Amino acid sequence: MNNKAFLTILSLVLFLGLYNPLNAGFDFFRLEKSANPEIDSLLQVANHFYEIDNYDLALQHYNNIVEKSEKENYSKGLTQAYIGYASIYFIQNKLDVSTSYLLKAKEQPYANENPEEMYNISFREGLNLHSLGLYDEAVKKYKESIAASNKITDREDKLNKLVGVYINIGDIFQLKNERDSAFYYYKNAYNSQTTNLNNKFTSSISISELYVENGELDSARKYLGFAKYYAEKLNSDFTDAVLSQINGKYLSANGNFSEAIISYKKSLILNEKLDRSSPALFKLLSEAYHEKGEDKLSNAYLKRYVEVKDSLEEAKKRNLKVPILIANKDNANKIQKAESNTQLVIVSFGGIILLIFLIVYLYVKKQKKKTVTRRNENIQLKKKLNNAFDEVADLAATNSPNFLSRFIEVYPEFYNQLISEYPNLTTADLKLCALMKLDFSTKEIAEISFSSLRTVQNRKYKLRKKFGLETEENINQWIQNIQIQSLVPA
């Protein structure tokens, strides 16, 4: 064998040995560390702060872990820190931020090599979709987490993770008002051999809530007692907040509204401590005060419920990016897997792999160009449909005195319908309606009008009363639906 042939074969052997088709790269260049005692110790500290609900300190430690892990090229540290970020931002209802960190974790080699981490990522993706009410998509992610858990060798850990998924699927059935199915999943979870206290608490408190909804208060009290036992063991603000809320519902169902109010307020304080939005508690408090005949307090909490719900609607616009982020990543993973299998076969034929890289590069470049072109076309189309929108928006943003008169010229149908159906509207009311029609947020309106957020929220609340809107109806969406034809200005 001549030297050239030997070198060619040796190069091919090295190529095959170093090339990793799952991560589409070369392991030689990664040189990842299998363990880093310093960073592993920091992870334990960060996770401890997370478990005791001290999220600020947990975030500080995760930041430190990411910085050190990037310098040390330590994939385990990055994976677990990203999942830690995602867990905290989920609790704070920042679902888009939570999802972005889960996608970062999913890209790490350590995550792909460890079924425990892949379970955590898929499970938390399911939680984010679950929280948005995208139940079918959430179930798909929960099923992915079940598939990942089946690869876990530790039987106890596997069982605890499966039970966690069962509880969440039960919650989806409860939210869909399919109580028999919800009972099935909750009771299977509670009666399992799980050693995870969070699973025991969540399944028992969920069963208790279902019994309250069914009016079976003796059974509700029984499982509420179980939940209290596990909550004491966990000693967590989060579990205490949930326990207090369900305990309040049980007390209300028994007609003990005074104690129910105390329990709701305790839950409210704990949620505020955790920086968690809790509009349902304001509604429950309003209902309890109404039953006691204290209408002034009932109306005050109902007003607060509407305000928080409106701000959550605005936050939901941001969080609606979550399914798009996940879908894009899933599609990319499918493409990557297909390409990797193809590349592994092509590698055996030598340098043809370079051609594949070139094709992929040109394809991605072409797709990006198409995306940019499509976006530009959409922008141009929007400009053609509403060539006066930018002018009116600029007048609004600068708080120009000409704003309202110009808006009326551009949207005459909208203005005429408002004043004909609601003649008691003031000029300030009409200006606020105009800003909402232009899709300015509550925060933006406050900045434009040099007012506080609370002032703008109060003005919106008064407008709701003038329009006679139901509590559940979103005023911003209601304004958008007035005179749909007026979206194309004169």
Side-chain angles (χ1 to χ4, degrees), residues 226-458:
F226 296 152
K228 286 178 180 177
Y229 169 79
Y230 293 115
E232 288 173 4
K233 293 282 186 183
L234 289 164
N235 191 27
S236 156
D237 287 339
F238 180 77
T239 51
D240 285 348
V242 175
L243 178 66
S244 296
Q245 180 171 337
I246 305 307
N247 184 53
K249 292 177 79 171
Y250 168 75
L251 291 167
S252 288
N254 271 300
N256 195 340
F257 299 110
S258 296
E259 289 191 26
I261 288 168
I262 294 171
S263 197
Y264 289 146
K265 286 185 175 179
K266 179 182 177 182
S267 180
L268 195 61
I269 291 168
L270 290 168
N271 276 297
E272 287 172 354
K273 182 180 176 182
L274 295 169
D275 195 23
R276 292 182 74 239
S277 296
S278 49
L281 280 168
F282 292 119
K283 190 175 183 182
L284 290 168
L285 278 163
S286 174
E287 291 169 352
Y289 275 117
H290 176 73
E291 292 293 336
K292 285 189 69 182
E294 299 183 39
D295 289 338
K296 187 176 180 180
L297 284 170
S298 176
N299 290 334
Y301 277 108
L302 183 61
K303 181 181 176 182
R304 190 76 186 107
Y305 166 69
V306 171
E307 289 171 355
V308 174
K309 196 167 181 295
D310 281 348
S311 33
L312 284 178
E313 285 293 332
E314 290 185 18
K316 192 174 181 181
K317 291 180 183 178
R318 180 191 68 199
N319 285 333
L320 283 174
K321 292 187 291 185
V322 169
I324 299 171
L325 289 169
I326 293 175
N328 287 344
K329 183 63 180 177
D330 287 347
N331 289 335
N333 286 342
K334 289 176 184 177
I335 293 171
Q336 183 181 4
K337 187 175 180 180
E339 288 175 353
S340 298
N341 290 335
T342 304
Q343 288 167 6
L344 188 59
V345 175
I346 294 173
V347 162
S348 64
F349 296 98
I352 302 175
I353 191 67
L354 296 175
L355 180 61
I356 299 299
F357 282 133
L358 181 60
I359 291 171
V360 172
Y361 169 78
L362 292 174
Y363 174 77
V364 172
K365 188 175 180 181
K366 184 178 178 182
Q367 291 300 110
K368 285 183 178 179
K369 186 175 180 181
K370 283 183 179 179
T371 302
V372 171
T373 301
R374 195 178 300 115
R375 187 184 300 120
N376 290 337
E377 287 174 352
N378 289 338
I379 291 170
Q380 292 302 319
L381 180 60
K382 186 176 180 180
K383 286 181 178 178
K384 288 178 182 178
L385 288 173
N386 197 350
N387 56 11
F389 178 86
D390 287 343
E391 178 193 353
V392 177
D394 286 342
L395 290 172
T398 57
N399 201 20
S400 169
N402 300 322
F403 162 63
L404 188 57
S405 58
R406 181 56 180 145
F407 177 89
I408 293 169
E409 292 174 3
V410 174
Y411 296 90
E413 294 88 355
F414 174 79
Y415 172 77
N416 289 334
Q417 184 172 340
L418 268 183
I419 61 172
S420 63
E421 294 183 15
Y422 307 98
N424 63 332
L425 293 178
T426 65
T427 301
D429 292 336
L430 291 170
K431 185 175 179 181
L432 180 57
C433 291
L435 290 169
M436 286 191 285
K437 182 70 173 176
L438 295 174
D439 209 24
F440 280 85
S441 68
T442 303
K443 182 180 178 182
E444 290 168 335
I445 293 172
E447 291 172 353
I448 290 167
S449 59
F450 305 105
S451 305
S452 66
L453 278 174
R454 177 54 62 87
T455 299
V456 176
Q457 289 169 344
N458 284 337

Side-chain angles (χ1 to χ4, degrees), residues 138-175:
V139 169
K140 289 177 185 176
K141 286 297 172 182
Y142 289 147
K143 287 181 178 178
E144 283 183 21
S145 67
I146 290 173
S149 71
N150 287 332
K151 298 176 184 177
I152 297 172
T153 54
D154 187 312
R155 293 184 65 183
E156 183 178 331
D157 188 30
K158 180 192 294 188
L159 175 62
N160 288 336
K161 286 177 165 52
L162 284 171
V163 169
V165 177
Y166 262 54
I167 291 169
N168 281 25
I169 294 175
D171 185 61
I172 286 176
F173 281 116
Q174 184 177 356
L175 291 167

